[in-house]
Amino acid sequence: MNIGSLWQILLLMLSSCLPYAVESRGGEKNILSSSSTGLANLTYVRTGKRLLEAQHEKKIDLAKGYLTNNDLENALKDFTQRCGNISRIYSIGKSVKGVPLWVIEISDKPGEEEAEPAFKYIGNVHGDEPVGRELLVRLANWICDNYPEDPLAAFIVDKVHLHILPSMNPDGFSLRKRGNANDIDLNRDFPDQFFPVNNEMSGRQPETRAIMNWLRKIQFTASASLHGGALVANYPWDGTEDKRRYYFPCPDDGAFHFLASVYSHSHHNMSLSKEFEGGVTNGAAWYPIYGGMQDWNYIHAGCFELTLEVSDNKWPPANELPTIWEYNKKSMLNLIASVAKTGIHGRIFSAASGRPLPGYIMIKGINYTVKAGRTFADYHRLLAPLENYEVMATMTGYKSKTTTIKLEKEAMGVDFILDPEVPNGENQLESECDCTCTTSKSGLQVMGSLWTTHMEAYFLVVVVLGFVCILLCRRRARFSFLRHRQQGGPKRPAVA
Ligand SMILES: *[C@@H]1O[C@H](CO)[C@@H](O)[C@H](O)[C@H]1NC(C)=O
Ligand SMILES: *[C@@H]1O[C@H](CO)[C@@H](O)[C@H](O)[C@H]1NC(C)=O
Ligand SMILES: *[C@@H]1O[C@H](CO)[C@@H](O)[C@H](O)[C@H]1NC(C)=O
Ligand SMILES: *[C@@H]1O[C@H](CO)[C@@H](O)[C@H](O)[C@H]1NC(C)=O
Ligand SMILES: [Zn+2]
């Protein structure tokens, strides 16, 4: 028996007797501080052996009534059979032991790109925190069962692409431990903004790599990972530069506090927490961690990620799971919906061609850039409501545009139409517009030989031709622009 397993027993014991178990997101540091009374160490010294035996017995039933990894795989496959027209299943990779990391996507057009925000839920990051994976299966089933009658289910399916990874750590789950099969804590395995926790891609765990590759393919607007051992919605930053514990706000502190509050206030009693004001916390104010998935999402994947602690008890008896689901149901649904129901949304277009421009959205005073989608140039900028914002759209080769808006509680739509930087956009017009303007160049060359004899007449013809061409181009651009905009859903005010 090694120190590691002793600690695990200790932690498990703590998680069942403390009001909240602090080890869920982080661990060591906080456990030490919570055992600063000496109680934990003392308890272990005195009753270590007895505990171990008791734990062994408990271990046998720990997951009784929970879905096994096989059950989970079958549940997901059944789900896509039953709800085939609004879902698909895909794998983002495999665990150390070769278990596929299955994701279900729920949308009215699963697998298709749309000018809509995407949201992801990840459960079971820590193998010994299985409540999340159970909740996520229930969430998927609830949406399927209530679509399209329930307005919230309909909204989510129609307006959002929801991706659910119920278990990021199936090996840890089957081993009933926090880390993966290599004993690595996956929520410490991501590149960190301050400390090189593990900056070797090759040295990273397969589960971590799977997530990182996934986020290269899909642009998520927001997400949450589900943990157990406490009851709180945690938001960035998770770590401080000097490793000390204090409130360390990220540039989007307002938006994050808002999103975390959407969760806690929709929950049965998370917002009533005595430990955390409003049931939310800045990660570093709780305890700093490094190499976590949350901060990495925000910094590297343009995704606003929360870390949700959904149950004080890491292994509640399975018969309590339906109640825990009821407690979290509205929160989980409202958080997904908030990526389309709040914030600023729109698309960026070229004034010259009418085509979508995959540019950038910036907010004055917030040092963070949101990228528009590659295909539709749709952007989804989450922000705290009830404030004024100066919104700027940029794209290389185009003049930036800025507009000031007052964001209400509901989402707001703002499209941007950017002018090319080149004056009158001659080159832009030719290259981006399918019209026949390009022939005028060669036309001029042909005319060159006749230049001397009928100079004036040809000059006039060329000028008139050019003029007609530009007119045609403009009309086509406008037309194509209208057509593009119509694909973008409801009409929105445009900053032209
Ligand atoms: C527990 O207590 C022993 C002495 O009783 C001490 O050597 C050890 O460092 C303590 N461990 C922790 C984790 O506090
Ligand atoms: C999926 O099927 C259900 C039930 O047949 C139907 O009500 C719904 O409109 C379908 N949804 C889509 C997106 O086709
Ligand atoms: C929330 O409700 C659960 C179940 O009734 C209870 O165990 C827990 O202590 C409550 N937490 C808070 C913060 O009120
Ligand atoms: C903005 O954030 C970047 C990192 O994303 C940082 O390098 C830069 O110094 C920040 N700028 C300001 C003005 O804070
Ligand atoms: Zn955890």
Side-chain angles (χ1 to χ4, degrees):
M1 175 173 39
N2 59 29
I3 297 292
S5 51
L6 278 177
W7 267 114
Q8 279 198 341
I9 291 154
L10 207 73
L11 297 180
L12 265 166
M13 196 201 73
L14 275 171
S15 69
S16 50
C17 63
L18 279 179
Y20 69 98
V22 285
E23 175 249 2
S24 46
R25 187 179 57 113
E28 310 89 289
K29 188 169 193 285
N30 210 263
I31 281 297
L32 286 177
S33 69
S34 68
S35 66
S36 59
T37 54
L39 188 76
N41 199 351
L42 206 69
T43 316
Y44 149 63
V45 170
R46 283 195 185 155
T47 59
K49 186 140 185 280
R50 199 149 41 81
L51 253 175
L52 182 71
E53 282 157 8
Q55 190 48 52
H56 190 67
E57 274 164 36
K58 204 171 154 199
K59 227 173 191 169
I60 296 166
D61 329 312
L62 215 48
K64 193 176 162 204
Y66 282 79
L67 297 169
T68 65
N69 287 337
N70 270 340
D71 294 341
L72 180 62
E73 182 167 336
N74 291 333
L76 299 186
K77 287 180 176 164
D78 287 350
F79 176 85
T80 47
Q81 290 278 309
R82 197 161 64 80
C83 313
N85 69 344
I86 56 160
S87 70
R88 71 175 174 124
I89 184 171
Y90 62 98
S91 161
I92 55 164
K94 284 184 173 170
S95 70
V96 172
K97 294 198 166 173
V99 180
L101 303 172
W102 292 115
V103 174
I104 35 180
E105 177 184 358
I106 300 180
S107 157
D108 57 343
K109 294 194 179 115
E112 273 179 53
E113 256 193 274
E114 291 188 275
E116 288 178 5
F119 184 97
K120 73 181 192 299
Y121 270 127
I122 299 183
N124 203 199
V125 179
H126 292 134
D128 61 348
E129 295 167 14
V131 173
R133 59 191 247 154
E134 295 279 340
L135 295 187
L136 289 174
V137 173
R138 283 168 172 81
L139 171 73
N141 282 322
W142 186 90
I143 293 173
C144 176
D145 292 342
N146 292 279
Y147 178 81
E149 294 77 22
D150 181 274
L152 196 47
F155 183 87
I156 288 170
V157 173
D158 294 342
K159 305 282 185 234
V160 179
H161 282 251
L162 170 63
H163 297 250
I164 299 174
L165 171 63
S167 178
M168 178 177 162
N169 186 3
D171 296 349
F173 174 80
S174 59
L175 295 164
R176 313 276 186 263
K177 66 174 189 184
R178 178 181 179 85
N180 69 352
N182 293 333
D183 245 333
I184 300 295
D185 184 335
L186 298 177
N187 205 30
R188 303 292 183 280
D189 198 38
F190 285 82
D192 191 83
Q193 64 174 324
F194 299 126
F195 301 102
V197 176
N198 172 14
N199 277 346
E200 302 294 313
M201 187 66 176
S202 55
R204 222 154 248 136
Q205 297 305 303
E207 295 88 351
T208 314
R209 259 180 293 165
I211 300 286
M212 292 174 72
N213 288 328
W214 187 24
L215 298 203
R216 277 194 196 107
K217 289 184 202 122
I218 301 179
Q219 196 176 338
F220 290 99
T221 299
S223 65
S225 71
L226 275 62
H227 294 250
L231 195 64
V232 66
N234 176 105
Y235 56 89
W237 298 122
D238 258 348
T240 54
E241 198 164 3
D242 57 10
K243 293 206 171 183
R244 285 188 303 127
R245 178 186 154 214
Y246 50 89
Y247 196 115
F248 189 43
C250 75
D252 276 296
D253 194 56
F256 272 110
H257 187 271
F258 168 72
L259 288 174
S261 302
V262 165
Y263 199 90
S264 72
H265 285 278
S266 307
H267 186 275
H268 167 66
N269 65 356
M270 189 182 276
S271 66
L272 305 177
S273 170
K274 293 198 179 67
E275 187 79 31
F276 304 101
E277 198 185 330
V280 303
T281 188
N282 170 267
W286 187 12
Y287 57 96
I289 70 159
Y290 300 92
M293 183 163 71
Q294 173 189 273
D295 290 0
W296 183 82
N297 262 267
Y298 178 63
I299 297 168
H300 296 280
C303 175
F304 286 42
E305 177 153 290
L306 302 178
T307 307
L308 303 170
E309 305 281 353
V310 293
S311 140
D312 285 330
N313 187 350
K314 288 193 179 189
W315 292 93
N319 64 11
E320 286 178 17
L321 291 171
T323 311
I324 297 176
W325 157 240
E326 286 305 322
Y327 289 175
N328 284 280
K329 178 169 109 186
K330 250 184 21 194
S331 302
M332 294 176 86
L333 294 166
N334 285 345
L335 185 63
I336 304 164
S338 68
V339 297
K341 280 191 169 172
T342 69
I344 311 175
H345 306 259
R347 298 177 65 193
I348 308 174
F349 298 97
S350 157
S353 68
R355 294 213 175 122
L357 298 177
Y360 302 88
I361 296 291
M362 280 178 272
I363 308 287
K364 192 179 174 194
I366 301 180
N367 184 15
Y368 190 79
T369 303
V370 165
K371 260 190 215 164
R374 284 170 285 234
T375 308
F376 297 107
D378 55 318
Y379 72 87
H380 309 280
R381 192 18 167 132
L382 300 179
L383 288 162
L386 305 178
E387 278 183 45
N388 295 319
Y389 295 101
E390 210 177 301
V391 191
M392 180 167 76
T394 66
M395 172 77 187
T396 37
Y398 289 80
K399 291 178 194 149
S400 306
K401 259 178 199 161
T402 303
T403 182
T404 302
I405 57 130
K406 171 152 179 51
L407 183 60
E408 302 293 340
K409 276 188 176 166
E410 297 77 34
M412 191 168 171
V414 183
D415 285 347
F416 287 89
I417 301 159
L418 305 186
D419 298 316
E421 237 157 33
V422 183
N424 214 359
E426 281 148 313
N427 295 332
Q428 218 79 32
L429 277 176
E430 283 179 15
S431 58
E432 291 206 19
C433 171
D434 300 327
C435 77
T436 46
C437 296
T438 40
T439 55
S440 63
K441 252 186 208 158
S442 50
L444 266 179
Q445 275 157 18
V446 173
M447 285 168 201
S449 55
L450 304 169
W451 191 244
T452 41
T453 42
H454 307 280
M455 208 191 329
E456 291 93 349
Y458 279 115
F459 184 72
L460 205 71
V461 167
V462 166
V463 167
V464 168
L465 265 178
F467 197 72
V468 166
C469 248
I470 285 168
L471 269 181
L472 274 175
C473 263
R474 282 269 159 105
R475 284 181 70 150
R476 278 175 85 128
R478 198 118 298 253
F479 180 73
S480 131
F481 160 72
L482 282 174
R483 205 186 43 200
H484 282 298
R485 277 200 87 194
Q486 273 153 12
Q487 294 167 354
K491 249 180 125 177
R492 290 180 289 259
V495 182

